[in-house]
Amino acid sequence: MAVWWLIALPVTGAAVLLLGGRRSDAWGHLLACAAVAASFCCGAILFADLSRRAAPDRVIRETLFTWVPSLKVDFGLQLDALSACFVLLITGVGALIHVYSIGYMRADAGRRRFFGYLNLFVAAMLLLVLADNYLGLYFGWEGVGLASYLLIGFWSHKPAAATAAKKAFIVNRVGDVGLALALMIMFTQLGTLSYDGVFVRAPGASEVTVTAIGLALLLAACGKSAQVPLQSWLSDAMEGPTPVSALIHAATMVTAGVYLIVRSGPVFDLAPAARTAVVIVGAVTLLVGAIIGCAKDDIKKALAASTMSQIGYMVLAAGLGPTGYGVAIMHLLTHGFFKAGLFLGAGSVMHAMDDETDMRRYGGLRAQLPITFATFGLGYLAIIGVPPFAGFFSKDAIIEAAFATHWLLGAVTVVGAGVTAFYMTRVMVLTFFGEKRWRPGSHPHESPSVMTVPMAILALGSLGGGAALAAGGTLQRWLQPVTNPGDRPEPHQAIPVWVLTAATLTVVAVGVLVAVGKYTSRPVRTIASDWASGPVIAARRDLFGDSVNEAAFMRPGLRLSRAMVDVDRVGIDGVVEGIARVIGATSTGFRRMQSGFARSYALTVFFGATALLLTAVTGNSS
């Protein structure tokens, strides 16, 4: 089976839905679901084909055409051990989100257009991970940015949604500048944009060159994966429909930055400074996201902060090099299950509560929403890392890799695990336990099966996905041809693994107990006023991320742009206009000599002839 079918199917679905008009209103959502489900089936067949091959041969390459002849860049696709994992995640989780959306968007007048955008999003992400060169990746990268803009701002009649879409688009453009710069450096210094070409020629380049490429790629990853300092768009992006939040956070957009770093591993392995920067960004972001999550009352924004933190774990692991690439991808895959389930569960709660998102207006919903409670609860146990749920295996693997590198990194990951347990327990308690704090007229009810079945499937992934991936190093061995081809030895672990596991679970238990004690010991309505302290205000305002970006980047950028305008107006335009004025004045002087009177011209000719005659006579006499 051809690899290009993976992309062609959702592209076709998007084209029919977006260009076919209202004739597809009645069945467009079914076409969209079928397109992504068919793409998943194709991915499963290709995955089975790869799994039957020997490790060095686990790659399928297709060159479709040469799309930039002057640069000698082919439009090619590459399915290998790494991209196959993303294909199954994107299409598998994406298909479940599509099915869930049938129920969630049932009454929306723009449902056909919504499903067209979802198909476009999936197709762009598939192109991003299947391209065999950085230019193809860039094309998919920008496609994901466009689709996210359309989906976040889907309800553009709401000013908050329109503003959030613009913010996400602009912040991501900042990161995209980094990817564009990386491509320029690759082509000018290495002479190629293909993965194989870059990885072969990079060892012959200077350390400055590979470091510049690595830092530029990191900037791109920060934008797309909402890492510090380009994280401010992620919380606002919750203004889009909840299925969009699930797709962005679990299977597509925010995972793109992690994919870029892992795919570019050979470059980062040659640039220690760039790898250190990746680790720092991941460590800072996992703490920042966790702290922000503690103060959010909006259930979707609390989960968005959680995504920022969990992606920080993945980025930190990816920055550890070959020993961390595999565990970063493992956490990315398990996160895809439990975070998609958590967002869809949040959407089910909102569906039951008339689109209310404030958790202070929830409480006691476990009896009214038993399926949602059970599936959301499994996702909760997975994300906080309780054994034997998925997050326990993947997050603990990152903690172990961090401690093997430096004790400070390990401490950061353990603290992050404890804070994660705190804010996720807060979400559970405020939503499903305690007294009922519903608005008058609320009548919570369980979601229809078209919504609960995808939630149940994702809950099963949250339960057993981690054990399946970690068993006997299954995923590590599968990814080895891409992430660790040299079969390098693992770093020595100074602390026994069982000690790290026990310490981590103890910290997690403390976080759970603190949250339970805090949010069950007093009425929830008083929490906001009781927490009106400086640190909490900072957390509620996303640690002033927007203010920092405005002060550090936006205002200096405005001053720089205004200065450049002044230079252009006074300097460049002044020189050009000055030359024009000189020429104009000169021409005006010459024009005055053209009076139009014949006698004046005759007199001028007479004087000129006389001057010539005198010159000639004087010259002969001398």
Side-chain angles (χ1 to χ4, degrees), residues 321-518:
T323 59
Y325 296 145
V327 294
I329 298 302
M330 185 195 301
H331 195 52
L332 186 150
L333 296 175
T334 60
H335 179 265
F337 286 114
F338 60 68
K339 185 52 62 69
L342 289 169
F343 265 110
L344 297 189
S348 181
V349 172
M350 292 168 57
H351 176 79
M353 299 295 290
D354 300 322
D355 291 328
E356 176 62 67
T357 61
D358 192 338
M359 293 183 291
R360 290 174 292 174
R361 301 294 183 179
Y362 293 166
L365 289 175
R366 66 185 184 279
Q368 283 71 27
L369 310 176
I371 299 177
T372 300
F373 170 65
T375 56
F376 195 97
L378 291 176
Y380 156 74
L381 294 172
I383 193 173
I384 69 173
V386 173
F389 296 91
F392 167 75
F393 296 96
S394 57
K395 189 184 292 185
D396 272 33
I398 294 177
I399 293 173
E400 293 165 14
F403 268 107
T405 303
H406 196 282
W407 69 268
L408 182 58
L409 290 178
V412 168
T413 58
V414 171
V415 170
V419 180
T420 299
F422 174 84
Y423 70 74
M424 285 306 304
T425 303
R426 175 177 181 263
V427 171
M428 283 294 294
V429 171
L430 293 182
T431 302
F432 296 104
F433 295 92
E435 74 281 4
K436 301 174 182 179
R437 304 179 300 276
W438 311 338
R439 292 185 184 278
S442 296
H443 301 286
H445 55 280
E446 187 59 271
S447 300
S449 58
V450 73
M451 296 171 64
T452 56
V453 169
M455 292 159 53
I457 295 173
L458 291 168
L460 292 176
S462 300
L463 174 61
L469 294 172
T474 302
L475 183 64
Q476 298 280 25
R477 291 198 308 273
W478 171 259
L479 292 173
Q480 191 173 17
V482 178
T483 60
N484 194 14
D487 195 20
R488 306 172 201 184
E490 296 290 328
H492 174 67
Q493 182 62 265
I495 305 175
V497 172
W498 69 268
V499 174
L500 292 179
T501 301
T504 302
L505 291 177
T506 300
V507 172
V508 167
V510 170
V512 171
L513 293 175
V514 171
V516 169
K518 187 172 187 63

Side-chain angles (χ1 to χ4, degrees), residues 16-31 112:
V16 171
L17 295 179
L18 298 177
L19 303 178
R22 296 189 176 278
R23 288 170 292 184
S24 60
D25 280 353
W27 45 266
H29 56 287
L30 300 177
L31 173 64
R112 170 187 55 82

Side-chain angles (χ1 to χ4, degrees), residues 3 310 323 596:
V3 176
Q310 297 305 307
T323 59

Side-chain angles (χ1 to χ4, degrees), residues 86-220:
F86 278 84
V87 165
L88 294 179
L89 175 69
I90 295 164
T91 57
V93 175
L96 293 174
I97 293 172
H98 274 67
V99 173
Y100 176 95
S101 300
I102 294 175
Y104 192 87
M105 302 294 290
R106 186 184 302 277
D108 197 288
R111 183 170 67 165
R112 170 187 55 82
R113 180 167 52 91
F114 177 79
F115 276 93
Y117 292 161
L118 285 185
N119 268 199
L120 180 63
F121 204 162
V122 169
M125 189 66 190
L126 287 171
L127 174 58
L128 190 157
V129 300
L130 287 171
D132 69 347
N133 63 82
Y134 282 100
L135 190 56
L137 179 147
Y138 185 80
F139 192 80
W141 193 271
E142 293 301 322
V144 169
L146 171 63
S148 67
Y149 169 77
L150 296 173
L151 286 168
I152 294 169
F154 181 75
W155 289 325
S156 56
H157 60 276
K158 297 166 54 180
T163 301
K166 289 187 290 186
K167 183 176 182 179
F169 190 81
I170 292 171
V171 173
N172 273 273
R173 296 293 74 72
V174 176
D176 294 351
V177 170
L179 185 56
L181 288 174
L183 267 63
M184 294 176 190
I185 299 172
M186 289 175 190
F187 190 77
T188 57
Q189 299 299 315
L190 305 179
T192 181
L193 294 176
S194 70
Y195 295 145
D196 292 341
V198 169
F199 300 157
V200 168
R201 300 180 186 181
S206 66
E207 185 173 343
V208 173
T209 297
V210 292
T211 300
I213 294 173
L215 292 176
L217 294 175
L218 174 60
L219 177 61

Side-chain angles (χ1 to χ4, degrees), residues 272-290:
R275 264 180 51 180
T276 300
V278 172
V279 171
I280 293 173
V281 166
V284 171
T285 306
L286 78 86
L287 291 178
V288 168

